[in-house]
């Protein structure tokens, strides 16, 4: 019993200190990042898709309209927020080779 009391007195300052640290407010950008819809723990790309109630619009034209800097779409070292380089590439399901580019796509 004495050991439990000594341990609780020894660790009490650490617990109090942990509770006294105020929470830092998050910025709007951080809040927007956390509120994105997640699929398997990976956030969706924000510029590549327009999600409606029943349809999803995607393609190169959608990215050109939504991206704040459209020239980043042809930049090989663009930030991750512009998405992977092959997201608008149409792939043949049989041969697994590139078949073309998606200028505008609608998914149901």
């Amino acid at each position: 019993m004495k050991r439990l009391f000594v341990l609780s007195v020894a660790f009490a300052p650490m617990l109090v200190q942990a509770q006294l640290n105020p929470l830092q407010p998050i910025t709007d950008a951080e809040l927007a990042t956390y509120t994105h819809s997640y699929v398997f723990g990976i956030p969706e790309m924000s510029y590549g898709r327009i999600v409606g109630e029943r349809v999803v619009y995607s393609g190169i034209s959608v990215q050109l309209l939504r991206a704040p800097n459209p020239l980043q779409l042809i930049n090989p070292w663009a930030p991750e927020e512009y998405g992977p380089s092959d997201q608008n590439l149409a792939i043949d399901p049989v041969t697994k080779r590139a078949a073309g580019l998606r200028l505008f796509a609608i998914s149901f």
Side-chain angles (χ1 to χ4, degrees):
M1 188 71 178
K2 290 181 184 179
R3 288 183 185 168
L4 183 62
F5 178 72
V6 170
L7 287 175
S8 65
V9 170
F11 288 110
M14 286 186 272
L15 295 174
V16 170
Q17 183 65 22
Q19 292 176 356
L20 292 180
N21 289 340
L23 294 175
Q24 297 177 357
I26 60 175
T27 64
D28 290 339
E30 291 173 336
L31 182 63
T33 302
Y34 293 136
T35 57
H36 280 254
S37 59
Y38 282 85
V39 178
F40 301 118
I42 301 171
E44 291 184 18
M45 298 301 156
S46 60
Y47 302 129
R49 308 171 105 194
I50 297 175
V51 179
E53 286 190 26
R54 295 186 182 188
V55 295
V56 176
Y57 304 103
S58 62
I60 295 172
S61 59
V62 172
Q63 275 190 314
L64 283 172
L65 291 175
R66 295 198 60 193
N69 188 359
L71 291 177
Q72 289 288 343
L73 297 176
I74 59 173
N75 181 5
W77 298 284
E80 290 183 12
E81 62 192 25
Y82 289 95
S85 60
D86 61 348
Q87 71 181 1
N88 291 321
L89 187 64
I91 298 175
D92 186 14
V94 176
T95 62
K96 305 291 188 220
R97 299 180 85 190
L101 296 173
R102 293 183 185 143
L103 294 177
F104 186 74
I106 300 174
S107 302
F108 297 96

